[in-house]
Each structure stands twice: as C-alpha cells, then as structure tokens.
Amino acid sequence: DAGVIQSPRHEVTEMGQEVTLRCKPISGHNSLFWYRQTMMRGLELLIYFNNNVPIDDSGMPEDRFSAKMPNASFSTLKIQPSEPRDSAVYFCASSLTGILYEQYFGPGTRLTVT
Amino acid sequence: KQEVTQIPAALSVPEGENLVLNCSFTDSAIYNLQWFRQDPGKGLTSLLLIQSSQREQTSGRLNASLDKSSGRSTLYIAASQPGDSATYLCATPSTQKLVFGQGTRLTINP
C-alpha cells in the first residue's frame, strides 16, 4: 500500500483566501484523523472520522475550519478564510478502526498564510 | 485528564551507544502506548505499539517497555546509528484522541 497520501505538500496563500487540504487514507482503514502541528502547541487533533462520520470535532479551532469525508477513500480539510495564525503543518492519519488501533500518518501539508 | 511527558527534550550521544528514551503518563489505566519517530519536515512513522497487557515489544534494534503501575514507558535503542537521529514521540489514547508527549529530539554523533 502507498500509505496515507496528502496533497498538496506545501501551500502558500494570502490571508483571507480559502485553503483546501486533501487526504487519502490507507485502503481498508475505517478511521481518519486530521492533526495540526506547531512548535508552540505540538500535535493537536482537529477532527476524527469513523466510517466517514465525524466522531469528535472538538479540536476544530473555529468555524473557519471544516472537514468532510464524502467516502472511505477521501477527506478534505478546508480553512475559509485563512489567517496567518493558521500557518502550521497539517497531518492526516488513518487506522483500522478508532483511536485504539495503530495510527499511520501521511507526510503532511506545510501551510503558510501570509 | 491524561498527560504525557517526555524528558529530556533533547539528547545527544555518540554513535554505537545504547540509549533509553523516557515517556511518562499520569493515568495508569491506559489501553496501549505507541512510539513514533519524526524526521525533520516529515510525518510521523509508527515504530512500536505496546498493548496494556504487554510488558515489552521489540522491533529490530528497538525495544519498548511498559510499566503501568509506575506510569512509564521506555524506548531502548541498541547500537545507535546516525540514521537514528530524529524526534521520538510517545502517545496513548484517551477520551477519543491520542495524547502525545512533546517528544525527545535525538542526535547521534558519528
């Protein structure tokens, strides 16, 4: 398997623009996680899907953030409008089922908002 | 609330040494504990997952141990190599999320 695939790998955008990050989980994995990593706050879970249904979105910082999982092989994280403080590395991870199983991370998307 | 701590934040050792990385957690009622490696600018790579019923888990030169009663896990790296240089994170699931330590940045000097 190719592992978790994320695109784009790097994104530079201006404040106020819409940003869409994409993730393809490992085939056969039923759970998908979006994380954000910054030097100040470390790794934070933003949202977690199980069988395409959001289970916990308590980590989504504001209404500007939204995530969807229209099918088992694709998820998006959207920021609209983006702000400089959103600059971070965003990771997608997947597991067989839920948080109790081993999580496999994608390479991340480095987002810079100017 | 589960809290995970990794001390020290950074460690530098000469090549060839055996070393131990530490991970402490506050709530001993854990389900499992996972060790990850993160190279600069890259994602996390899962190294080992140790279940609560296990005391040890081994993969190659890596050995993870778990002592729930003392709230500790250790990652032992044998015969360290420069390629082992990375940040090592531990994490355990708690209330619908993985709780991560801040990581130990390991440098192996040739």
Side-chain angles (χ1 to χ4, degrees):
Chain A
D1 200 313
V4 176
I5 299 172
Q6 290 187 250
S7 64
R9 295 293 310 277
H10 301 272
E11 178 80 36
V12 180
T13 191
E14 291 184 349
M15 183 174 68
Q17 297 296 306
E18 177 179 298
V19 174
T20 299
L21 310 182
R22 297 172 177 78
C23 175
K24 176 179 168 52
I26 292 173
S27 176
H29 281 191
N30 295 315
S31 295
L32 183 140
F33 308 83
W34 282 102
Y35 290 90
R36 178 171 67 177
Q37 186 177 41
T38 61
M39 288 293 291
M40 290 292 293
R41 301 170 71 99
L43 265 166
E44 303 173 279
L45 178 67
L46 300 177
I47 187 168
Y48 145 44
F49 291 88
N50 198 48
N51 293 323
N52 313 336
V53 175
I55 301 301
D56 185 345
D57 65 355
S58 59
M60 296 286 263
E62 300 169 34
D63 291 346
R64 297 184 296 106
F65 286 69
S66 63
K68 293 182 180 179
M69 191 163 186
N71 57 61
S73 59
F74 184 66
S75 176
T76 59
L77 178 68
K78 186 177 294 188
I79 308 172
Q80 165 64 18
S82 57
E83 296 183 4
R85 59 194 168 117
D86 301 330
S87 297
V89 181
Y90 291 81
F91 289 106
C92 176
S94 70
S95 75
L96 272 175
T97 301
I99 67 165
L100 300 182
Y101 285 81
E102 195 166 1
Q103 289 190 25
Y104 297 87
F105 281 68
T109 296
R110 182 172 295 275
L111 173 65
T112 303
V113 183
T114 61
Chain B
K1 178 187 170 188
Q2 179 70 275
E3 294 180 0
V4 178
T5 305
Q6 292 184 253
I7 296 173
L11 182 65
S12 181
V13 300
E15 181 179 2
E17 280 201 5
N18 303 324
L19 60 99
V20 173
L21 304 179
N22 297 303
C23 173
S24 299
F25 44 92
T26 54
D27 184 352
S28 62
I30 64 169
Y31 190 84
N32 59 46
L33 189 135
Q34 193 169 359
W35 281 93
F36 295 89
R37 166 189 175 135
Q38 185 174 27
D39 293 281
K42 301 287 179 65
L44 278 70
T45 300
S46 178
L47 298 174
L48 289 165
L49 184 146
I50 183 163
Q51 301 289 353
S52 65
S53 58
Q54 297 176 308
R55 293 192 65 85
E56 285 189 357
Q57 188 71 261
T58 297
S59 176
R61 294 182 295 108
L62 306 180
N63 177 276
S65 70
L66 178 64
D67 184 345
K68 290 190 296 179
S69 62
S70 66
R72 282 190 66 200
S73 177
T74 60
L75 181 67
Y76 174 84
I77 303 178
S80 58
Q81 304 170 357
D84 295 329
S85 297
T87 296
Y88 290 79
L89 299 102
C90 61
T92 188
S94 176
T95 56
Q96 301 286 12
K97 62 181 69 173
L98 269 186
V99 179
F100 285 86
Q102 287 293 86
T104 295
R105 188 173 67 253
L106 175 66
T107 302
I108 306 299
N109 301 305

